């Protein structure tokens, strides 16, 4: 007996998790920071010395020199902000086998969000629901909520099938594959039957009443009780919040806040797992791994969430669109975890419910004040007082709770409350995850942790064509810049509330669309235009300042190459990431930034479009072959083609002028090399313009119109440069 108690005590004293400082990365990163900072200081000195020269002795006109200098300063500022990620990267290991018994584990509510069945296939949504219900966790402590923001009846219909089939999945394990195949075919037939016309769905998604339904519940109370006892199934609830054209719905953040309220009165688990509709649970142990942090008494009181990386099952070996977001999940988040933790990343995180409420109901707090914050529902206010989830949903309370839940999911419920302002997920940004993590959590002293086990805990579907990648990038860029240019700018709002390094990390994420698009547009056009007119903007090869620019350029490239190789990537991945970085900067990041600025000025409304997850066979084939699919908007193609045409002209004409006509190649060497680098890295665009004949090529009409636009633009630039 004593031996058993001693063994139990020893097991309880063992840590549930450990962290490891990446010392090799720390040393390399800080050494590179020192070298790069020194070279940037010399570069700035070279540029500033221009202004102390006599006007007629200057090699270049003032305007292009200022533009290039401003671009260099912006990229240098972005690099400075990025130091925060590289200061102290750490990784973590968990020991779920050391967790207490199942009856001592806390409850978990799973939130799954879907918005548009035409872009988010119902089969994938059901896969995610099934995988969440199959987590390795006590089923009586697991509750799954599906938010259908499109209000599509096909989603509700197939959720009924999910519940009815699960008992067979559990009891008859040998028939799982057969049952799943039947289920998938049933969903496909139902989808075809309903037709899912885009116009009809779009209309219903903006105008429908609230629907809350417990899936699998029948009118027979005895049958329901018997099913719960025999099957021990997790609770599955379908939620479609009310939407009216006259009421703002606040996109995904609004849907999540409805789930917070509905789940609060039905299960009120202290922890929440957030999943996108296509992000299924690949490893059923993720909940237990997250609990290794959440129930650790040393950090539990200050821990808001545990973030897992987003990984995808449809990524090709070359990943030409950087769809796996390698830089974020294999580099940045380790660095942020060494500060106070990564940001909320949209999906795959286990959140403490209380962290989103800001306040809890304590004795003596004025009821009116609570209703001003959380709304008028007394049932929901009662849930704030409970430290653990209430009794499991049962039939005695089902009718009352369903009516209350529909009220909580109504349009008018949030009126005159602080939802989205001080309570729940934050509004006023298309990237509610970033804004919530910053303003609602980290600025209030909460911390987070990042866990990236060897086996992917979750797997989703990523974008595999250029159009979807750029549309998604535009939305993200707009949301990030919305925060960056607001009163909640991380560099202003952050420092009094968090460490300087953490503020820098948030600022780098929020400002990177602006800090990317402006300098890259400059570097893709200004040096090339000056090259066409024989105007040098960089030191000649024989100058003592020439090695400074060479070192800065090679230092930036080598830093990126090191990060790619150290995370298991290849030189081809490095090249592809360089290319898509340039493409996104001059297209979606520019348009997203402009949209945010126009929204700030009241000239445009924020809009949200769900990322398309429907696979097109031809697009998938091109992606697998490593070929770009240029079937996208002319708004995206025109800037790319125009820049490539300009660089072709600059490289050819500049090389001929400098080597044959004037012989001043040493003065123009950097600009010639820059044009050559742009062309080599973006050969896929040249190939799409000239070589390819398939459906994924760049339409000749776009190339022709871009050439005409360049022909009109160049004479105007010549006039400006001459004066």
């Amino acid at each position: 007996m004593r031996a058993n108690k001693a063994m139990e005590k020893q097991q309880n004293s063992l840590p549930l998790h450990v962290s490891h400082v990446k010392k090799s990365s720390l040393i390399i990163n800080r050494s590179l920071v020192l070298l790069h900072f020194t070279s940037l200081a010399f570069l700035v000195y070279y540029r500033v010395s221009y202004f102390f020269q006599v006007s007629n002795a200057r090699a270049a006109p003032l305007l292009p020199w200022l533009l290039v200098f401003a671009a260099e300063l912006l990229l240098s500022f972005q690099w400075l902000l990025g130091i925060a990620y590289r200061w102290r990267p750490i990784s973590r290991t968990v020991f779920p086998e050391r967790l207490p018994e199942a009856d001592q584990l806390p409850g978990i509510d799973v939130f799954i969000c879907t918005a548009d069945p035409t872009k988010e296939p119902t089969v994938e949504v059901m896969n995610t629901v099934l995988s969440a219900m199959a987590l390795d966790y006590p089923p009586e402590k697991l509750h799954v909520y599906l938010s259908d923001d499109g209000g599509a009846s096909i989603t509700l219909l197939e959720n009924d099938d999910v519940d009815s089939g699960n008992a067979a999945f559990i009891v008859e394990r040998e028939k799982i594959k057969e049952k799943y195949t039947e289920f998938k075919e049933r969903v496909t037939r139902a989808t075809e039957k309903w037709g899912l016309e885009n116009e009809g769905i779009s209309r219903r998604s903006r105008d429908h009443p609230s629907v809350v339904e417990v899936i699998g519940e029948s009118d027979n109370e005895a049958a329901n009780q018997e099913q719960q006892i025999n099957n021990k199934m997790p609770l599955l609830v379908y939620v479609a919040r009310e939407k009216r054209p006259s009421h703002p719905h606040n996109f995904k953040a609004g849907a999540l806040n409805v789930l917070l309220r509905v789940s609060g009165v039905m299960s009120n688990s202290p922890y929440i797992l957030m999943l996108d509709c296509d992000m299924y649970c690949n490893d059923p142990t993720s909940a237990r791994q997250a609990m290794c942090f959440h129930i650790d008494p040393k950090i539990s009181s200050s821990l808001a969430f545990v973030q897992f990386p987003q990984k995808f099952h449809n990524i090709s070996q070359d990943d030409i669109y950087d769809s796996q977001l390698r830089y974020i999940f294999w580099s940045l988040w380790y660095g942020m975890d060494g500060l106070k933790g990564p940001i909320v990343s949209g999906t795959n995180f286990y959140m403490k419910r209380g962290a989103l409420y800001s306040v809890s109901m304590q004795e003596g707090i004025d009821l009116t004040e609570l209703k001003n914050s959380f709304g008028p529902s007394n049932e929901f206010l009662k849930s704030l007082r409970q430290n653990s989830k209430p009794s499991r949903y049962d039939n005695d309370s089902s009718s009352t709770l369903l009516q209350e839940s529909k009220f909580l999911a109504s349009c008018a419920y949030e009126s005159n409350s602080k939802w989205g302002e001080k309570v729940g997920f934050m509004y006023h940004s298309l990237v509610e995850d970033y804004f919530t993590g910053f303003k609602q959590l980290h600025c209030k002293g909460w911390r987070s942790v990042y866990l990236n086990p060897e086996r992917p805990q979750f797997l989703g579907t990523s974008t595999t064509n250029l159009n979807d990648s750029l549309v998604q990038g535009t939305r993200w860029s707009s949301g990030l810049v919305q925060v960056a240019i607001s009163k909640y700018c991380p560099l202003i709002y952050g420092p009094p509330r968090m460490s300087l390094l953490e503020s820098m990390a948030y600022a780098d994420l929020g400002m990177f669309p602006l800090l990317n698009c402006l300098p890259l547009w400059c570097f893709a056009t200004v040096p090339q235009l000056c090259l066409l007119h024989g105007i040098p903007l960089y030191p000649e090869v024989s100058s003592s300042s020439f090695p400074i620019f060479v070192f800065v350029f090679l230092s930036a490239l080598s830093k990126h190459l090191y990060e790619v190789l150290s995370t298991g990537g290849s030189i081809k991945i490095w090249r592809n990431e360089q290319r898509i970085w340039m493409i996104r900067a001059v297209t979606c990041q520019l348009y997203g930034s402009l949209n945010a600025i126009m929204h700030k000025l009241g000239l445009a409304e924020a809009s949200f479009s769900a990322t398309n997850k429907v696979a097109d066979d031809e697009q998938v084939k091109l992606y697998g072959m490593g070929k770009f699919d240029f079937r996208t908007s002319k708004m995206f193609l025109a800037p790319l083609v125009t820049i490539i045409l300009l660089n072709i002209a600059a490289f050819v004409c500049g090389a001929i002028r400098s080597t044959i006509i004037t012989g001043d190649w040493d003065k123009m060497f950097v600009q010639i090399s820059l044009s050559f680098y742009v062309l080599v890295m973006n050969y896929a665009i040249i190939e799409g313009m000239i070589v390819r004949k398939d459906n994924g090529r760049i339409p000749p009409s776009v190339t022709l119109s871009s050439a005409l636009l360049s022909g009109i633009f160049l004479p105007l630039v010549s006039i400006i440069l001459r004066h």
Side-chain angles (χ1 to χ4, degrees):
M1 189 66 151
R2 290 180 179 178
N4 291 337
K5 287 184 177 180
M7 187 177 296
E8 184 179 351
K9 183 177 181 180
Q10 181 181 4
Q11 185 175 1
N12 291 336
S13 65
L14 293 174
L16 292 171
H17 59 90
V18 294
S19 60
H20 318 273
V21 177
K22 296 187 172 184
K23 293 183 179 179
S24 59
S25 297
L26 186 148
I27 294 171
I28 293 173
N29 288 340
R30 294 188 181 185
S31 300
L32 289 175
V33 164
L34 178 61
L35 291 173
H36 200 75
F37 180 82
T38 303
S39 61
L40 286 178
F42 281 111
L43 186 151
V44 171
Y45 173 79
Y46 171 81
R47 290 296 185 193
V48 171
S49 64
Y50 168 89
F51 300 106
F52 296 95
Q53 298 175 4
V54 181
S55 299
N56 54 13
R58 294 172 178 171
L62 179 61
L63 179 60
W65 189 276
L66 280 176
L67 290 174
V68 171
F69 187 27
E72 291 166 347
L73 288 177
L74 288 175
L75 285 183
S76 299
F77 180 59
Q78 185 185 35
W79 169 84
L80 182 65
L81 294 177
I83 291 175
Y85 303 117
R86 301 172 181 89
W87 201 248
R88 189 177 176 268
I90 65 172
S91 59
R92 299 181 183 273
T93 304
V94 294
F95 307 100
E97 67 276 6
R98 299 174 183 173
L99 286 171
E101 296 298 324
D103 59 348
Q104 299 180 44
L105 294 175
I108 297 175
D109 291 342
V110 183
F111 292 176
I112 300 171
C113 293
T114 183
D116 187 346
T118 64
K119 294 182 177 181
E120 299 166 337
T122 308
V123 168
E124 288 194 5
V125 178
M126 297 306 109
N127 286 344
T128 303
V129 172
L130 286 171
S131 69
M133 297 177 72
L135 283 171
D136 180 18
Y137 210 74
E140 67 277 7
K141 297 190 175 187
L142 199 60
H143 320 90
V144 181
Y145 295 83
L146 175 63
S147 171
D148 178 17
D149 232 21
S153 52
I154 181 66
T155 307
L156 176 58
L157 171 69
E158 296 310 325
N159 262 286
D160 283 315
D161 283 345
V162 166
D163 189 83
S164 63
N166 259 303
F169 283 10
I170 295 173
V171 177
E172 304 176 30
R173 299 183 67 87
E174 68 278 5
K175 295 184 179 180
I176 288 179
K177 185 174 181 180
E178 178 185 348
K179 290 288 185 181
Y180 177 78
T181 302
E182 293 176 1
F183 162 72
K184 184 176 179 180
E185 291 175 354
R186 190 161 59 246
V187 173
T188 304
R189 288 196 301 270
T191 303
E192 293 173 352
K193 178 181 177 181
W194 282 91
L196 296 178
E197 297 87 354
N198 291 334
E199 182 179 353
I201 287 179
S202 177
R203 183 174 62 253
R204 290 195 300 273
S205 67
R206 296 191 301 266
D207 191 2
H208 60 79
S210 59
V211 178
V212 180
E213 182 172 325
V214 178
I215 304 302
E217 183 183 49
S218 69
D219 296 331
N220 189 323
E221 181 176 348
N224 284 330
Q225 291 178 349
E226 182 180 357
Q227 181 181 4
Q228 290 181 5
I229 294 172
N230 294 335
N231 293 338
K232 294 184 179 180
M233 295 293 296
L235 181 71
L236 176 58
V237 182
Y238 171 90
V239 179
R241 58 175 170 150
E242 181 185 13
K243 279 189 174 181
R244 301 301 178 194
S246 58
H247 285 75
H249 60 274
N250 296 303
F251 312 117
K252 184 179 177 181
L256 289 174
N257 283 339
V258 167
L259 289 183
L260 270 177
R261 296 193 295 270
V262 171
S263 65
V265 300
M266 299 190 75
S267 54
N268 199 32
S269 297
Y271 297 101
I272 295 166
L273 167 61
M274 173 62 206
L275 294 175
D276 281 345
C277 65
D278 65 304
M279 192 67 67
Y280 66 86
C281 303
N282 184 62
D283 185 346
T285 67
S286 66
R288 292 181 178 272
Q289 294 191 45
M291 288 305 120
C292 288
F293 297 99
H294 276 303
I295 67 173
D296 180 0
K298 295 179 181 178
I299 65 171
S300 178
S301 61
S302 61
L303 180 63
F305 64 93
V306 178
Q307 179 68 59
F308 289 92
Q310 295 182 29
K311 297 184 180 181
F312 308 97
H313 61 79
N314 62 332
I315 300 296
S316 69
Q317 185 175 358
D318 293 341
D319 191 20
I320 55 177
Y321 304 119
D322 188 27
S323 301
Q324 65 178 331
L325 305 173
R326 183 208 58 80
Y327 183 55
I328 292 177
F329 295 112
W330 273 262
S331 183
L332 299 193
W333 272 206
Y334 285 113
M336 289 198 76
D337 201 10
L339 303 175
K340 213 170 182 180
I343 72 166
V344 180
S345 304
T347 181
N348 305 355
F349 58 85
Y350 285 84
M351 176 80 71
K352 180 181 292 181
R353 180 185 291 269
L356 294 168
Y357 288 164
S358 297
V359 297
S360 60
M361 183 182 287
Q362 304 291 338
E363 295 297 333
I365 293 183
D366 183 54
L367 184 62
T368 303
E369 182 182 345
L370 283 171
K371 288 190 173 184
N372 288 338
S373 295
F374 294 97
S377 171
N378 290 325
E379 287 296 324
F380 183 75
L381 292 182
K382 290 179 184 178
S383 72
L384 300 178
R385 184 180 289 121
Q386 298 175 3
N387 296 321
S388 60
K389 75 178 184 67
S391 300
R392 185 176 171 86
Y393 174 88
D394 55 44
N395 293 286
D396 294 336
S397 58
S398 62
S399 178
T400 302
L401 286 182
L402 286 177
Q403 289 301 318
E404 188 70 16
S405 297
K406 292 177 182 179
F407 172 55
L408 291 166
S410 64
C411 284
Y413 182 81
E414 293 185 358
S415 299
N416 301 317
S417 72
K418 295 180 181 178
W419 284 97
E421 304 290 341
K422 294 184 178 180
V423 176
F425 290 87
M426 296 294 97
Y427 299 156
H428 310 301
S429 174
L430 292 174
V431 284
E432 79 295 325
D433 46 2
Y434 169 86
F435 193 27
T436 300
F438 174 66
K439 177 178 179 286
Q440 181 76 329
L441 300 176
H442 285 137
C443 277
K444 293 183 179 179
W446 292 98
R447 67 156 299 132
S448 57
V449 299
Y450 181 57
L451 184 61
N452 186 5
E454 184 175 348
R455 181 182 179 184
Q457 301 299 291
F458 305 94
L459 284 175
T461 304
S462 191
T463 55
T464 55
N465 63 78
L466 185 63
N467 181 69
D468 291 342
S469 179
L470 296 183
V471 169
Q472 184 184 64
T474 303
R475 184 177 74 244
W476 288 349
S477 298
S478 180
L480 290 169
V481 175
Q482 279 178 336
V483 179
I485 62 177
S486 71
K487 65 179 180 180
Y488 299 109
C489 174
L491 288 180
I492 299 173
Y493 190 81
R497 299 168 176 85
M498 58 172 60
S499 69
L500 177 61
L501 286 176
E502 198 176 2
S503 298
M504 290 168 60
Y506 265 103
D508 182 52
L509 284 169
M511 301 174 72
F512 91 88
L514 275 173
L515 296 179
N516 271 347
C517 70
L518 297 177
L520 263 66
W521 260 105
C522 179
F523 286 132
T525 56
V526 175
Q528 290 77 359
L529 291 169
C530 289
L531 177 60
L532 287 171
H533 294 84
I535 301 173
L537 294 176
Y538 298 92
E540 57 189 53
V541 176
S542 58
S543 170
S544 60
S545 300
F546 175 75
I548 297 173
F549 287 85
V550 174
F551 182 85
V552 170
F553 180 71
L554 294 180
S555 173
L557 293 184
S558 61
K559 175 185 70 69
H560 181 212
L561 179 60
Y562 162 73
E563 290 175 347
V564 171
L565 296 178
S566 64
T567 55
S570 62
I571 293 179
K572 184 177 286 189
I573 291 290
W574 168 80
R575 183 202 65 186
N576 291 341
E577 289 188 9
Q578 285 281 316
R579 177 175 58 206
I580 200 65
W581 171 63
M582 298 179 194
I583 290 174
R584 286 172 176 162
V586 299
T587 54
C588 63
Q589 290 174 10
L590 173 67
Y591 294 134
S593 300
L594 290 175
N595 181 265
I597 293 171
M598 293 175 67
H599 176 70
K600 180 72 173 178
L601 298 174
L603 301 176
E605 289 292 329
S607 61
F608 177 88
S609 175
T611 303
N612 183 33
K613 302 298 174 68
V614 179
D616 178 275
D617 291 340
E618 188 174 359
Q619 290 176 342
V620 171
K621 181 180 178 181
L622 288 172
Y623 175 69
M625 295 168 60
K627 291 187 176 182
F628 272 70
D629 184 358
F630 290 106
R631 284 174 292 183
T632 185
S633 170
K634 291 182 179 179
M635 179 180 71
F636 293 132
L637 292 179
L640 298 177
V641 175
T642 301
I643 287 173
I644 291 299
L645 291 175
L646 173 60
N647 277 268
I648 290 175
F651 176 72
V652 174
C653 297
I656 294 174
R657 172 199 287 267
S658 301
T659 57
I660 299 175
I661 300 176
T662 61
D664 58 351
W665 66 270
D666 58 332
K667 293 182 179 180
M668 312 304 297
F669 177 78
V670 175
Q671 285 158 261
I672 294 173
S673 300
L674 180 59
S675 295
F676 180 71
Y677 177 77
V678 170
L679 295 175
V680 168
M681 296 301 289
N682 293 279
Y683 174 74
I685 301 176
I686 301 175
E687 185 182 45
M689 293 165 51
I690 302 172
V691 180
R692 289 171 54 183
K693 303 300 180 183
D694 56 81
N695 293 332
R697 67 174 180 171
I698 295 176
S701 59
V702 175
T703 304
L704 180 60
S705 59
S706 298
L708 292 174
L709 181 64
S710 300
I712 297 172
F713 181 66
L714 285 176
L716 296 176
V717 173
S718 299
I719 296 173
I720 295 173
L721 291 177
R722 287 171 186 167
H723 293 80

